[in-house]
mmCIF file of all heavy atoms in Angstrom:
data_model
loop_
_atom_site.group_PDB
_atom_site.id
_atom_site.type_symbol
_atom_site.label_atom_id
_atom_site.label_comp_id
_atom_site.label_asym_id
_atom_site.label_seq_id
_atom_site.Cartn_x
_atom_site.Cartn_y
_atom_site.Cartn_z
ATOM 1 N N ASN A 351 64.737 -23.897 31.008
ATOM 2 C CA ASN A 351 64.224 -22.554 31.114
ATOM 3 C C ASN A 351 63.526 -22.322 32.398
ATOM 4 O O ASN A 351 63.636 -21.314 33.080
ATOM 5 C CB ASN A 351 63.276 -22.258 30.065
ATOM 6 C CG ASN A 351 64.022 -21.696 28.786
ATOM 7 O OD1 ASN A 351 65.214 -21.644 28.787
ATOM 8 N ND2 ASN A 351 63.348 -21.505 27.588
ATOM 9 N N LYS A 354 66.161 -21.862 34.805
ATOM 10 C CA LYS A 354 66.944 -20.682 34.618
ATOM 11 C C LYS A 354 66.237 -19.365 35.040
ATOM 12 O O LYS A 354 66.840 -18.507 35.605
ATOM 13 C CB LYS A 354 67.474 -20.635 33.142
ATOM 14 C CG LYS A 354 68.335 -19.498 32.764
ATOM 15 C CD LYS A 354 69.056 -19.734 31.412
ATOM 16 C CE LYS A 354 68.180 -19.893 30.294
ATOM 17 N NZ LYS A 354 68.970 -19.797 28.911
ATOM 18 N N TYR A 355 64.952 -19.256 34.564
ATOM 19 C CA TYR A 355 64.214 -18.135 34.880
ATOM 20 C C TYR A 355 63.402 -18.164 36.227
ATOM 21 O O TYR A 355 62.287 -17.763 36.314
ATOM 22 C CB TYR A 355 63.250 -17.694 33.687
ATOM 23 C CG TYR A 355 64.129 -17.622 32.331
ATOM 24 C CD1 TYR A 355 64.137 -18.575 31.509
ATOM 25 C CD2 TYR A 355 64.864 -16.362 32.260
ATOM 26 C CE1 TYR A 355 64.990 -18.359 30.273
ATOM 27 C CE2 TYR A 355 65.593 -16.158 31.078
ATOM 28 C CZ TYR A 355 65.720 -17.176 30.198
ATOM 29 O OH TYR A 355 66.578 -17.008 29.123
ATOM 30 N N ASP A 381 55.939 -23.270 35.882
ATOM 31 C CA ASP A 381 57.001 -22.927 36.932
ATOM 32 C C ASP A 381 56.515 -21.826 37.750
ATOM 33 O O ASP A 381 55.472 -21.173 37.464
ATOM 34 C CB ASP A 381 58.323 -22.662 36.232
ATOM 35 C CG ASP A 381 58.264 -21.382 35.330
ATOM 36 O OD1 ASP A 381 57.756 -20.307 35.813
ATOM 37 O OD2 ASP A 381 58.622 -21.585 34.121
ATOM 38 N N GLY A 385 58.223 -15.214 35.362
ATOM 39 C CA GLY A 385 57.008 -14.922 34.598
ATOM 40 C C GLY A 385 57.449 -14.111 33.296
ATOM 41 O O GLY A 385 58.605 -13.619 33.131
ATOM 42 N N ILE A 386 56.414 -13.849 32.455
ATOM 43 C CA ILE A 386 56.612 -13.160 31.163
ATOM 44 C C ILE A 386 55.469 -12.187 31.006
ATOM 45 O O ILE A 386 54.317 -12.552 31.270
ATOM 46 C CB ILE A 386 56.774 -14.020 29.935
ATOM 47 C CG1 ILE A 386 57.883 -15.061 30.078
ATOM 48 C CG2 ILE A 386 56.928 -13.312 28.708
ATOM 49 C CD1 ILE A 386 57.739 -16.339 29.255
ATOM 50 N N ILE A 394 59.056 -14.212 22.267
ATOM 51 C CA ILE A 394 60.030 -15.194 22.864
ATOM 52 C C ILE A 394 60.156 -16.368 22.047
ATOM 53 O O ILE A 394 61.181 -17.023 22.167
ATOM 54 C CB ILE A 394 59.550 -15.631 24.209
ATOM 55 C CG1 ILE A 394 58.217 -16.205 24.308
ATOM 56 C CG2 ILE A 394 59.784 -14.534 25.256
ATOM 57 C CD1 ILE A 394 57.792 -16.900 25.579
ATOM 58 N N GLN A 399 65.494 -13.925 19.895
ATOM 59 C CA GLN A 399 64.868 -12.885 20.733
ATOM 60 C C GLN A 399 64.858 -13.232 22.261
ATOM 61 O O GLN A 399 64.433 -14.256 22.607
ATOM 62 C CB GLN A 399 63.311 -12.674 20.310
ATOM 63 C CG GLN A 399 63.146 -12.153 18.967
ATOM 64 C CD GLN A 399 63.534 -10.788 18.713
ATOM 65 O OE1 GLN A 399 63.475 -10.001 19.630
ATOM 66 N NE2 GLN A 399 63.934 -10.545 17.573
ATOM 67 N N ARG A 400 65.454 -12.343 23.025
ATOM 68 C CA ARG A 400 65.548 -12.513 24.386
ATOM 69 C C ARG A 400 64.980 -11.385 25.176
ATOM 70 O O ARG A 400 64.984 -10.368 24.652
ATOM 71 C CB ARG A 400 66.990 -12.804 24.714
ATOM 72 C CG ARG A 400 67.666 -13.710 23.991
ATOM 73 C CD ARG A 400 69.081 -14.152 24.541
ATOM 74 N NE ARG A 400 68.854 -14.876 25.911
ATOM 75 C CZ ARG A 400 69.479 -14.572 27.051
ATOM 76 N NH1 ARG A 400 70.420 -13.609 27.069
ATOM 77 N NH2 ARG A 400 69.149 -15.216 28.000
ATOM 78 N N LEU A 401 64.496 -11.606 26.379
ATOM 79 C CA LEU A 401 64.053 -10.548 27.127
ATOM 80 C C LEU A 401 64.950 -9.963 28.200
ATOM 81 O O LEU A 401 64.809 -8.988 28.830
ATOM 82 C CB LEU A 401 62.764 -10.914 27.900
ATOM 83 C CG LEU A 401 61.584 -11.583 26.924
ATOM 84 C CD1 LEU A 401 60.384 -11.929 27.738
ATOM 85 C CD2 LEU A 401 61.158 -10.647 25.864
ATOM 86 N N HIS A 402 66.105 -10.652 28.201
ATOM 87 C CA HIS A 402 67.144 -10.246 29.291
ATOM 88 C C HIS A 402 68.472 -10.138 28.620
ATOM 89 O O HIS A 402 68.817 -11.005 27.631
ATOM 90 C CB HIS A 402 67.155 -11.252 30.427
ATOM 91 C CG HIS A 402 65.761 -11.663 30.906
ATOM 92 N ND1 HIS A 402 65.107 -10.813 31.821
ATOM 93 C CD2 HIS A 402 64.928 -12.551 30.630
ATOM 94 C CE1 HIS A 402 63.998 -11.264 32.060
ATOM 95 N NE2 HIS A 402 63.937 -12.475 31.328
ATOM 96 N N GLY A 409 72.186 -17.214 27.796
ATOM 97 C CA GLY A 409 71.414 -17.899 26.766
ATOM 98 C C GLY A 409 71.582 -17.208 25.371
ATOM 99 O O GLY A 409 72.246 -16.221 25.164
ATOM 100 N N THR A 410 71.010 -17.875 24.341
ATOM 101 C CA THR A 410 71.230 -17.390 23.041
ATOM 102 C C THR A 410 69.921 -17.051 22.285
ATOM 103 O O THR A 410 69.864 -16.489 21.135
ATOM 104 C CB THR A 410 71.765 -18.667 22.146
ATOM 105 O OG1 THR A 410 70.940 -19.811 22.304
ATOM 106 C CG2 THR A 410 73.209 -19.037 22.663
ATOM 107 N N GLY A 411 68.771 -17.273 22.902
ATOM 108 C CA GLY A 411 67.537 -16.898 22.407
ATOM 109 C C GLY A 411 66.991 -17.915 21.293
ATOM 110 O O GLY A 411 66.362 -17.360 20.421
ATOM 111 N N ILE A 412 67.513 -19.130 21.388
ATOM 112 C CA ILE A 412 67.262 -20.068 20.312
ATOM 113 C C ILE A 412 66.360 -21.226 20.689
ATOM 114 O O ILE A 412 65.602 -21.747 19.973
ATOM 115 C CB ILE A 412 68.495 -20.590 19.509
ATOM 116 C CG1 ILE A 412 69.325 -19.420 18.993
ATOM 117 C CG2 ILE A 412 68.133 -21.539 18.434
ATOM 118 C CD1 ILE A 412 70.722 -19.885 18.359
ATOM 119 N N GLY A 413 66.448 -21.496 22.095
ATOM 120 C CA GLY A 413 65.715 -22.565 22.664
ATOM 121 C C GLY A 413 64.236 -22.730 22.292
ATOM 122 O O GLY A 413 63.840 -23.733 21.816
ATOM 123 N N LEU A 414 63.517 -21.658 22.535
ATOM 124 C CA LEU A 414 62.145 -21.641 22.232
ATOM 125 C C LEU A 414 61.788 -21.782 20.771
ATOM 126 O O LEU A 414 60.753 -22.357 20.416
ATOM 127 C CB LEU A 414 61.362 -20.407 22.883
ATOM 128 C CG LEU A 414 61.157 -20.575 24.493
ATOM 129 C CD1 LEU A 414 60.544 -19.316 24.922
ATOM 130 C CD2 LEU A 414 60.458 -21.805 24.846
ATOM 131 N N SER A 438 55.218 -19.154 34.836
ATOM 132 C CA SER A 438 54.693 -19.375 33.457
ATOM 133 C C SER A 438 54.287 -20.670 33.244
ATOM 134 O O SER A 438 54.700 -21.665 33.907
ATOM 135 C CB SER A 438 55.914 -19.123 32.550
ATOM 136 O OG SER A 438 56.642 -17.886 32.824
ATOM 137 N N PHE A 440 53.973 -23.288 29.915
ATOM 138 C CA PHE A 440 54.196 -23.463 28.471
ATOM 139 C C PHE A 440 53.350 -24.597 28.080
ATOM 140 O O PHE A 440 53.373 -25.652 28.769
ATOM 141 C CB PHE A 440 55.640 -23.625 28.236
ATOM 142 C CG PHE A 440 56.523 -22.403 28.182
ATOM 143 C CD1 PHE A 440 57.019 -21.852 29.400
ATOM 144 C CD2 PHE A 440 56.758 -21.783 26.918
ATOM 145 C CE1 PHE A 440 57.741 -20.670 29.362
ATOM 146 C CE2 PHE A 440 57.271 -20.530 26.888
ATOM 147 C CZ PHE A 440 57.939 -20.065 28.101
HETATM 148 P P1 ADP B 1 67.206 -18.294 26.031
HETATM 149 O O1 ADP B 1 66.682 -18.945 27.250
HETATM 150 O O2 ADP B 1 68.429 -18.893 25.485
HETATM 151 O O3 ADP B 1 67.316 -16.743 26.058
HETATM 152 P P2 ADP B 1 64.768 -19.087 24.816
HETATM 153 O O4 ADP B 1 64.434 -19.154 23.302
HETATM 154 O O5 ADP B 1 64.696 -20.413 25.499
HETATM 155 O O6 ADP B 1 66.128 -18.426 24.692
HETATM 156 O O7 ADP B 1 63.783 -18.200 25.559
HETATM 157 C C1 ADP B 1 63.596 -16.855 24.946
HETATM 158 C C2 ADP B 1 63.292 -15.891 26.063
HETATM 159 O O8 ADP B 1 61.929 -16.307 26.695
HETATM 160 C C3 ADP B 1 64.158 -15.869 27.218
HETATM 161 O O9 ADP B 1 65.229 -15.073 27.012
HETATM 162 C C4 ADP B 1 63.268 -15.518 28.385
HETATM 163 O O10 ADP B 1 63.331 -14.054 28.481
HETATM 164 C C5 ADP B 1 62.019 -16.004 28.035
HETATM 165 N N1 ADP B 1 61.684 -17.283 28.828
HETATM 166 C C6 ADP B 1 61.789 -18.410 28.306
HETATM 167 N N2 ADP B 1 61.307 -19.399 29.238
HETATM 168 C C7 ADP B 1 60.989 -18.621 30.348
HETATM 169 C C8 ADP B 1 60.358 -19.033 31.665
HETATM 170 N N3 ADP B 1 60.023 -20.343 31.884
HETATM 171 N N4 ADP B 1 60.123 -18.058 32.588
HETATM 172 C C9 ADP B 1 60.230 -16.847 32.136
HETATM 173 N N5 ADP B 1 60.780 -16.384 30.942
HETATM 174 C C10 ADP B 1 61.163 -17.293 30.055
#
Side-chain angles (χ1 to χ4, degrees):
N351 275 354
K354 185 163 52 165
Y355 298 103
D381 62 53
I386 301 160
I394 55 169
Q399 295 293 331
R400 311 198 61 228
L401 307 182
H402 312 277
T410 56
I412 300 177
L414 287 180
S438 310
F440 280 86

